[in-house]
Structure formats: C-alpha cells, structure tokens
Amino acid sequence: FNRVDNGRIRWFDLDLPDMIAARRKVFDDQPRVKMIAADALEDAWVGEVKNAVTEKDSQFLFLAEGLFMYLSLDEIRTLLSILKRNFPKSTLIAEQNPKMLVKHQKHHDTVRNTKAVFKSGTDSGEEIAVLVEGVRLVEEHSFHEEMKKHSIIGKVFAVLLPKMNDRWAVFEW
C-alpha cells in the first residue's frame, strides 16, 4: 500500500484467518487499509469490500501474489468467477508458476520446509484466461526479464530456461 498509495486508493488485504491474525500482531487497519480474514474462494469477503467503497469506486485492481500455485485450476476458476461477478471492469495481476515447478515442488523451499502443496502451474496465462468467459490476458512477463539485467546467471537462465521461473500476468474483464 505504501509504495503505490496515491492518496485515494483503498487497500484490502484478504487472507485466511490465521494469517490475518499474525499480521494484526504487527499492523493495524488504517483509514484506507483494511485486513479481511476470509477464504478467497467463498463470497463472504465481497460484502466487506463493497461496504467499504463508494459508488464512484468503479475500478478495482486485484493482486494475487503467491496464491495461484496453491490453488487448483478449478479453484482459480472459482476465484475469477467471484471477482468477475462482483467487480465488473476490473484488473487482476497474478503471479503464476510453471508446470515444471509443480512436478519438482519437493525441491522448492516453500514446499520442502512446510506442508504446502503446489496444486497447479501454467505455461501461459492463456490457460488462466480461458477458465472464465470474458476474462482476457493483457500481458505476461517472466521474472527472468528483470533478473537478466542484474547478473550473468540471470542472463543464462533467461536464455536457457525461459519457462522455468514464475511469471506475472495481467488479466482484465
């Protein structure tokens, strides 16, 4: 919020109740920042957002970082359906991981050191866009694009393993 605040935006941190409880130990809600403890795959949180905005708040930007890999494609479809149904004319920026990472997840630190499981991966954001009618992929970029600017290893990975890194994709409806 602090990095993108233009003095007008409203920010909602939506996460599972145990994660919001942990955040509340460090952060408080602010006038334009609200934490919501809920499952993103259930509609219950939608009312909290709608009650906190005004009619002139017609544009919504959703950020899904570190989420899609823990959801199946059916669960991603459910989330996209909730967003599209309740927040027309919106944008979603979502991190995606490659299918190869799902196959080799036992080597990834967030899975190896926890009980987490990667449920899905994609080779293209189009695989997400086709899940819900009216959702379209606007653009997609590999994190390699930035990494290659800073190191030789980044350049090597960008050339030899272009699909072996997470990507961010922009969707609109």
Side-chain angles (χ1 to χ4, degrees), residues 14-28:
L14 173 66
D15 211 329
L16 295 172
D18 58 337
M19 295 309 302
I20 292 296
R23 285 183 190 166
R24 288 193 186 285
K25 291 179 181 178
V26 180
F27 303 106
D28 293 319

Side-chain angles (χ1 to χ4, degrees), residues 57-84:
D57 296 317
S58 60
Q59 293 180 326
F60 292 89
L61 170 65
F62 296 93
L63 307 173
E65 185 271 329
L67 176 63
F68 278 18
M69 67 270 298
Y70 299 108
L71 302 178
S72 67
L73 290 177
D74 283 339
E75 290 171 321
I76 294 170
R77 177 184 292 112
T78 297
L79 176 59
L80 287 174
S81 296
I82 290 169
L83 294 175
K84 186 172 180 280

Side-chain angles (χ1 to χ4, degrees), residues 125-138:
E126 285 296 338
E127 295 171 59
I128 301 296
V130 299
L131 294 175
V132 174
E133 187 176 335
V135 172
R136 67 181 183 89
L137 176 65
V138 177

